[in-house]
Structures are given as structure tokens and as C-alpha cells.
Amino acid sequence: MIAAQLQILRWSIRSSLVLALCLGPGVVLSADSDCNGHGVKVAGSDTCSCDNDTPTSGELGWTGPNCDIPVYGAEADGKDLTRGCKQDHQCDQLEPSSWFCYLVNQSWTGDWNFLTVQLARTSEDEDGDPDLYGLFTGGTSGQDQRPTNATYGYDFRETSAASHAIVVQKVRKADFEDKNYSGAYLCVKGYGSTATTYALRADYTRCPSDFTDDGQELMCSSLVSAPASGKRYTGCSADGVCSCKPPYQKPLPEVYKGLGFEECSATVTSIGDTELTIAKPFVKEHEVVETRGWSFYEFNVTDQDFQVVVNVAEEEDSACETAGHSLTCHSGEASGYFEVFLKYGQPPGWHYGQWDFRQAYQYYQTEQDKDQEVKFDAQTEGFQTGTWFAGVEGDDHSDCKYTITINKFECPLNCSGRGTCVHASNGTRSCDCQQGFFGRECANEALALAYNKPVTKAEALFEYDYYSLPEVASAALQNTVEVKVQASFSSADGYSDWVSARPELLLLKGDNAIEPTTANYTYKHILEVQNTVYEIGLGPSQLKEGLWRIAIYNPMRLYQIGYKLTAVKLAHCLNDCSGHGSCDDNGTCQCNSNWAGGDCSVNQAGGGGCQEGSHKSTAMPGKHATGYSTCACSGSTCEYTDSNTQVACDEGYTIQGSQKVGNKYVGGTCVKSSGGKSGTSAVGVFLWVLFSILLSFTVSGALLWLQQAGFLSMTWENIRNRLTRGRGALDESLYHELSMDTGF
């Protein structure tokens, strides 16, 4: 019947518009002038008095400013309000932008504290979305309050049915102080591009109530139809407070509102000190967080505990999956999520200021990462010893099953089993990581990057990827060597022109314990444009011996990126090895045969392969000396000969028994000096000369001293050798030319 009336309404509007066009521009008729046939104009005003706008149970009426919204009188008894009108009036079906209201009367002074309404979309097409709007009416406070076609001016609403097939609106009478109503209009509007169908349930109750997905009514989170032994509460006070049984009781007299303790939906598990220690984690499997509920865990933190880690993992047989930083749960086509919060001293809530710690948002979390982890330690702001609560919050759609694990550690994550815990004298704890691992918890590992071998990674979600350069050898630092690190990136997901952030190439010279980050690096290059190679070059003056680490940083972790990374080592040898050798990767010339010197420029061609005048040392340990053979050439043949050997005594030994033959000394042995170094130091001779000059002040005195010192019979070369005797280097020692049978 209502459908037929709506069709007549559409016909009358079109007819009025046609008539107005026929009469001309001077005459305009209002389509609402007859109140749509469901009311009359109030004398002296433009408002309508609608037919039966406050229908009793089972009656149909009309409401709205123009009497164009049908309204049905119904009983708020927890059952579907459409059951009495959907057969004759199709009240459970709505076209886009159309309205249907229900009037549920209830004395404001009656024995109730809550009005609970459930709206369930029964059509599968989400393009048709029923929205709920509620308006209290009647009594002394709402005599003239009537629904309108606007979506504002209502006392409560629930408009998320497009994303949630079933929604529940709970209204507390105490929130409307100093009011006096006699009932409420519950209106449903069709939103979207297609028609929708729905079911609507409501009830006035003393204590908090709810509905299961299949429409069963709950009181204090217990089925109304359940026996007393199966209920979570023992009673309901006049002011609407449930007397909850354990473990649904409040752990403290005062807790945040909305956690479920008012309706016995929250649970509290108290963990004893012997159940959770540094040596013993607390693990509880097959835990369940209920739809729109909370599960709390109470535990104690002592002075001996450095770090606490709470992990919540979805169980494989649960209908949950991860979504961003939350775990998403599925029940049919509905989906929800749960999150983990920690609070000192009381159960946490999800509002800002109601928790101390929660998991950081992980853009790069994938569907395989079906757990959440929250950790804090003695070096974290907010850490306190005493009682803590971990809370697992569920969403609106389904129960989720999980395993909760709480660990205490003496060092960050116990160094991930890859290091040793170090207790500092000031009470702090740190990890001494094993070789190859780094980070505060020794959890990071860098892949080895070989020179001139590019690494390519497909597009993926991540924050940091780490690599390490081959360690720079000391030989490379003595020569001309440079290293270049080259990187480019690509991303099909994002990093368009409007995104200012860009990936970064980071390079850090450090030790085994640290990693490059945006706050800690030696060199950095921003990768501005996709598929463009950017480079960090380390010249000889920048290259340092030891460990260098590389990081590719993705600041927009919501975006997948791929990259190509290459390390290039360039060595430059002196004079390009003069064309007589090859340059190795440390910048050292590897000379060809018969060529020597730092740049391979010394020609050693000849029979003996030596350069005329060069020396070859031969240790003579039994004689406490070192022999030096001199290279002599005859024609094109050059060789070291024993007939021209010079010998220098080791330090601490001096020559005795040698005889002067011409300008050379022959024979003798090296014997241990009586004290000090053999020979006379240059400084000592200088002081001796100066002292003698000051004493004699005469030329004859100086000549006499020189003769006594034995210098007058020596050449200047012999004098220089005498003054520097005992230093052990060939060009700074006094040598004796010996025949091989002179005792040496």
C-alpha cells in the first residue's frame, strides 16, 4: 500500500509541475501545497499537520515537514521492528534517498537506562546502504520534534552500514539530563545508488544491552535467555550497573569508560610473579577477544627487569589477518581488527592519553606478519616499575583467537641470541653483537656487497635494507684508490611529483655495532628521480680503513620500491706502472719480470737481474752481523758478487781486530760492546768538538783533538760513516770489505 501511495505522490508532483508550466511564469504552484496528500496546512503558516504522525503500535502514519515520510508504530522489545509492516507495506525495503521511520514509545520515567538499536543490512549489494537516525519526541521536552528529510538535527545516528553490515547504537538516558520524552523516532534512510533491505531491532533496558549478529538479545554481555549459571553477572542495579562475576570484574574502582567493565564484556587475567620472570615467559594460547570487547593482562615489572615485550599472534585456525598495524578478523563477509595497548597502573583504552605504549604503525607489514609486538625498556620514556596492564581490543565484527606471549629481558631482546649482554656501571644495559650483526638488539644483518657486482631488488615494502662494503685494506690507503657507491630506484606504487619524500642512499663509516640511519650517517644522497643512477664517491682522502655500511631507506613505507645497488672500486697506480706492470685493486704496481720500483720504472735487465751498485743483504746470525753483496756489471751481465761484500755489525756489537789496507778495513770480528751502542753518535761528537774548541780556543788545539780522534787520516765519507756507525742501514753504517776467510 505504501509503495502505491509513493507512486501516487510521484504522479502528483509531476502533474503539478506540468500545470505550472501551462499557466505561465506569473503563476507558481508548490508541490507541497497539499502536504503530499497525507496532511493539511496549518492555518496561517506553511507547515503541515500530518496524518497520524504519532501512530500507536501496529498503525501507519506520516511525518516530516511535508508529510512525505511514512512512520510505523512498533514495540521496542528486542525483536525486528519491520516484522509488522514489511508484508503489507514493504517497510524493510528502501530506494536510494527514501526514508522510513518507526515510533517506539516509552515513558521517560520508566525503569530503563539504555536504548539499544541494531541495524542490519540484509541485502548483499554494498552500494545500497541503510543509515540510522534517532530523535527523541513527545513528553514535555519534545512535543514538536519530528523527523525531517535532512540528516542533521537528530539526537543520535549510525551511518557506517556500508562498511559494516551490522551496526549497534547504544544510547544512555543519563546523557539527556533534565529531559522528558515519551518515545523515540528510529528512522532509516536509503543511501547509495541501489535499493537496500534491512532489519531493525531496539529495546529499552535497565543495564547495558546488545545483540548478537543473528539478533539474539544480550544483557550485561549474557544471553537474556541463558540460565543464571551461564550469565556473567549476578544482578543489575537501578542506576544501570552490572554486578559482574570474575574474571569480568573491574580490577580497580575507577577505570576508563567504554572498556566493557560496565557490561561484563572485558576480561582480566592476573599474572603472578612466578608465572613471568626473566627466565620464564608467560604464554597463553587459544585466547579470544570478543566482538567490540577487551581482554586485559595484569603483570608486575621489577627493578631487575630491563625490557618487557608483549607479543600477540593470531592462531592459524582463527579468522584473522593483518591489515596495516592491526590484525583483521573475518566472520562471513564482515571484518574487524584487534590492537594491543599497554598502560601503567590501570587498564588501557584506545583513546589518546589512555595508553603508554602501542605498536608503531608498520606500513610495510604484510599479510604473513600476523602478530603485533609492543616493547618498552628502562631507557624508554614512560618506563616504571610496578603494575602494568596489556590490553587486546577487538572490533565490531567477530571474535578473534590468538596467543599472547609476555617476555622480560635483561638486555634488549636478549641481544637476539647474537651477542653478549653488557651491564654498565651506571645501570644501563647494551649488547655486544657478534661479528656481522648490529643494531641495538643485534637484530640487523648486512648483506655483503662485492665490488662491481650489482644487486637488484624487486619492488617490495620495507624501511631499511642494509649492505656492507668489503673492508678497506691498509694497502689501499697508502695508494690512490677511490670507491663509488651507485644506486637507482623504481616504484609503481607512488613517489609521484606531489610526494616530497624520496628514498635515500646512506653510507656510514663505523664499527660492528652501529648501522646507517637518517639520523646517523657519514654520507647521504637523495634519490630524486626514478630509474636515475645517483652516486656517492669516496676519494683517497675520504676513504678510511675498516667497516663501511650502506643502507637504502624508504621513507614512504606504504609504497613498494625496487632498486639497483653497485659498489665500484677504482685503483690508480703511480705513472700507470710505467707500462711495465699491472695495477692491483689496492693501487699497488705488480711489476713485470726484470722491472722494479714503486712505479716499475727500474730496469733490472741483465744476467743476474740486478741494478749496478744496488745491494743485497744476507743475515749472518752466527757472526752477529749482516753482509751486503754489491751488484757489479761486466758488459751486459750484472750480478751480486761475494768478492765485494760489506759487513755491518748488529746493534750492540762492534768490530775488533780489523786491519786497515789502503782506504779499507779488512778482517776482524763483531764482539759485544761493553756498554751502550757501538760507535759514536753524531750529537756526541758535536758536543765533544764544541767542548774541545771552547777549551783550546786555538787552531792547534782543534787539530790535535782531530788527530787524537783519528779523523785526520780518514776521508770525509769515512768520517760520515764513523759518525753514524751502528744504525744498521746500508747508507748510514761503517762497513768492512772482507775476504771470506778473514774470520767472517
Side-chain angles (χ1 to χ4, degrees):
M1 180 177 179
I2 291 176
Q5 290 172 332
L6 292 175
Q7 182 62 34
I8 293 172
L9 173 60
R10 297 188 189 100
W11 178 85
S12 63
I13 293 173
R14 288 197 296 268
S15 299
S16 299
L17 292 174
V18 171
L19 180 58
L21 292 173
C22 294
L23 291 174
V27 180
V28 178
L29 294 181
S30 171
D32 300 326
S33 60
D34 57 357
C35 298
N36 289 296
H38 304 301
V40 296
K41 287 284 187 180
V42 177
S45 71
D46 293 330
T47 60
C48 291
S49 176
C50 300
D51 297 340
N52 196 19
D53 60 354
T54 57
T56 59
S57 180
E59 293 182 345
L60 181 70
W62 294 86
T63 188
N66 302 312
C67 304
D68 57 350
I69 302 176
V71 57
Y72 182 76
E75 295 290 336
D77 55 4
K79 299 179 181 179
D80 186 5
L81 300 182
T82 70
R83 69 186 186 276
C85 58
K86 63 183 179 180
Q87 183 173 353
D88 294 335
H89 308 306
Q90 295 79 47
C91 58
D92 63 336
Q93 304 173 27
L94 287 176
E95 295 293 327
S97 300
S98 61
W99 291 73
F100 199 99
C101 294
Y102 301 83
L103 179 62
V104 288
N105 288 314
Q106 176 68 38
S107 171
W108 197 256
T109 59
D111 186 18
W112 68 278
N113 295 298
F114 300 91
L115 169 61
T116 304
V117 184
Q118 182 195 62
L119 175 62
R121 174 171 49 82
T122 57
S123 54
E124 295 184 359
D125 192 347
E126 294 182 1
D127 290 336
D129 169 23
D131 290 338
L132 173 67
Y133 297 86
L135 180 69
F136 286 113
T137 186
T140 59
S141 301
Q143 291 181 353
D144 299 325
Q145 292 189 175
R146 298 292 185 272
T148 69
N149 302 91
T151 56
Y152 54 85
Y154 287 86
D155 292 319
F156 55 90
R157 70 184 66 197
E158 174 52 74
T159 60
S160 60
S163 57
H164 300 76
I166 301 174
V167 295
V168 175
Q169 179 68 44
K170 300 179 181 181
V171 182
R172 185 189 298 266
K173 183 170 66 172
D175 294 336
F176 296 84
E177 295 184 65
D178 303 325
K179 299 293 183 180
N180 181 20
Y181 299 108
S182 62
Y185 286 103
L186 305 179
C187 299
V188 184
K189 177 190 177 183
Y191 181 83
S193 58
T194 63
T196 186
T197 60
Y198 65 93
L200 186 68
R201 296 176 177 85
D203 199 1
Y204 291 98
T205 58
R206 175 190 284 186
C207 270
S209 61
D210 204 339
F211 294 93
T212 63
D213 287 354
D214 59 0
Q216 298 184 72
E217 189 174 5
L218 303 172
M219 174 75 74
C220 297
S221 303
S222 306
L223 287 172
V224 173
S225 59
S229 59
K231 293 181 177 179
R232 299 181 178 183
Y233 65 102
T234 57
C236 176
S237 65
D239 57 354
V241 177
C242 299
S243 299
C244 303
K245 301 176 182 178
Y248 307 103
Q249 291 176 326
K250 292 190 295 185
L252 301 167
E254 297 295 330
V255 296
Y256 296 123
K257 292 183 178 180
L259 300 182
F261 292 111
E262 305 92 339
E263 55 195 34
C264 307
S265 65
T267 61
V268 179
T269 300
S270 183
I271 303 171
D273 290 341
T274 59
E275 297 178 89
L276 174 61
T277 65
I278 289 179
K280 180 181 179 182
F282 172 82
V283 181
K284 195 168 186 181
E285 299 177 326
H286 314 313
E287 291 290 271
V288 176
V289 58
E290 295 183 346
T291 305
R292 300 184 297 274
W294 282 86
S295 296
F296 295 101
Y297 301 85
E298 180 183 5
F299 60 93
N300 192 44
V301 175
T302 70
D303 292 333
Q304 303 302 314
D305 305 324
F306 175 78
Q307 186 182 54
V308 177
V309 180
V310 179
N311 180 276
V312 178
E314 173 227 340
E315 295 185 357
E316 291 185 0
D317 59 345
S318 177
C320 306
E321 68 177 28
T322 55
H325 63 301
S326 307
L327 297 179
T328 300
C329 312
H330 290 284
S331 175
E333 294 186 359
S335 63
Y337 65 86
F338 66 78
E339 293 190 77
V340 182
F341 301 87
L342 273 75
K343 179 70 176 176
Y344 176 78
Q346 62 177 313
W350 66 271
H351 291 285
Y352 183 77
Q354 294 182 348
W355 49 269
D356 293 323
F357 300 104
R358 64 181 294 186
Q359 175 172 287
Y361 195 93
Q362 303 293 332
Y363 290 98
Y364 47 90
Q365 199 169 29
T366 67
E367 289 190 1
Q368 286 71 39
D369 300 324
K370 298 187 177 183
D371 62 354
Q372 285 196 53
E373 186 174 87
V374 182
K375 53 188 176 183
F376 63 100
D377 58 53
Q379 295 175 339
T380 306
E381 183 178 359
F383 178 90
Q384 299 182 66
T385 58
T387 301
W388 283 82
F389 287 86
V392 181
E393 180 208 17
D395 198 15
D396 328 335
H397 290 117
S398 60
D399 300 347
C400 280
K401 188 182 294 184
Y402 60 90
T403 296
I404 183 170
T405 304
I406 304 178
N407 279 283
K408 293 181 176 181
F409 297 119
E410 65 171 340
C411 251
L413 284 188
N414 270 1
C415 305
S416 304
R418 300 167 170 176
T420 303
C421 185
V422 178
H423 294 243
S425 58
N426 61 0
T428 61
R429 318 275 179 87
S430 61
C431 291
D432 182 14
C433 301
Q434 298 172 3
Q435 186 68 31
F437 300 100
F438 55 94
R440 185 170 184 263
E441 301 157 350
C442 303
N444 296 328
E445 183 176 7
L447 299 177
L449 189 65
Y451 289 126
N452 304 313
K453 292 185 178 180
V455 172
T456 302
K457 179 172 181 175
E459 293 188 9
L461 296 174
F462 68 93
E463 184 179 16
Y464 284 97
D465 273 357
Y466 298 105
Y467 295 86
S468 61
L469 285 174
E471 289 208 24
V472 179
S474 58
L477 303 178
Q478 300 171 6
N479 299 301
T480 307
V481 175
E482 61 178 321
V483 173
K484 296 180 179 181
V485 181
Q486 302 168 339
S488 62
F489 85 100
S490 62
S491 175
D493 285 349
Y495 287 106
S496 55
D497 292 340
W498 60 269
V499 178
S500 60
R502 285 292 184 271
E504 297 178 5
L505 171 64
L506 305 171
L507 191 58
L508 176 68
K509 171 65 182 77
D511 55 36
N512 187 58
I514 58 176
E515 70 272 20
T517 67
T518 55
N520 183 34
Y521 59 86
T522 307
Y523 301 102
K524 177 177 79 170
H525 208 311
I526 298 176
L527 311 182
E528 294 283 357
V529 181
Q530 294 194 41
N531 302 309
T532 302
V533 177
Y534 295 89
E535 179 180 286
I536 294 177
L538 299 176
S541 63
Q542 299 165 306
L543 203 58
K544 305 297 181 184
E545 185 176 5
L547 182 64
W548 288 84
R549 284 204 173 103
I550 303 169
I552 299 292
Y553 171 60
N554 178 16
M556 301 294 290
R557 290 157 287 180
L558 184 63
Y559 295 154
Q560 297 188 53
I561 71 167
Y563 58 83
K564 182 178 180 180
L565 181 65
T566 309
V568 179
K569 187 177 183 182
L570 301 175
H572 306 281
C573 281
L574 183 64
N575 295 330
D576 290 330
C577 301
S578 304
H580 302 304
S582 59
C583 187
D584 65 17
D585 64 356
N586 287 323
T588 303
C589 284
Q590 302 299 321
C591 298
N592 298 335
S593 177
N594 296 328
W595 292 93
D599 61 353
C600 301
S601 62
V602 178
N603 187 354
Q604 293 184 324
C610 62
Q611 186 179 13
E612 187 174 13
S614 63
H615 298 84
K616 180 178 70 173
S617 63
T618 302
M620 305 170 68
K623 301 182 183 300
H624 310 293
T626 300
Y628 295 88
S629 299
T630 303
C631 180
C633 296
S634 175
S636 60
T637 302
C638 299
E639 59 183 352
Y640 293 108
T641 62
D642 292 336
S643 62
N644 195 24
T645 299
Q646 296 176 331
V647 175
C649 293
D650 294 342
E651 186 171 352
Y653 290 82
T654 185
I655 187 74
Q656 286 187 4
S658 62
Q659 297 179 353
K660 183 179 179 183
V661 179
N663 292 327
K664 300 179 182 179
Y665 284 86
V666 178
T669 58
C670 292
V671 298
K672 190 172 183 63
S673 303
S674 60
K677 295 184 179 180
S678 62
T680 306
S681 70
V683 176
V685 172
F686 172 76
L687 294 176
W688 189 4
V689 170
L690 179 62
F691 178 71
S692 299
I693 292 174
L694 292 175
L695 287 177
S696 64
F697 283 101
T698 64
V699 175
S700 59
L703 292 174
L704 178 61
W705 178 85
L706 290 172
Q707 184 177 14
Q708 292 173 348
F711 287 126
L712 292 181
S713 61
M714 299 175 64
T715 65
W716 285 112
E717 179 68 19
N718 291 336
I719 293 174
R720 185 182 70 84
N721 290 337
R722 178 65 177 270
L723 295 178
T724 57
R725 183 178 179 181
R727 295 190 179 180
L730 179 60
D731 59 347
E732 296 181 356
S733 302
L734 176 64
Y735 303 106
H736 295 272
E737 185 177 351
L738 307 172
S739 60
M740 299 310 292
D741 58 355
T742 57
F744 280 84

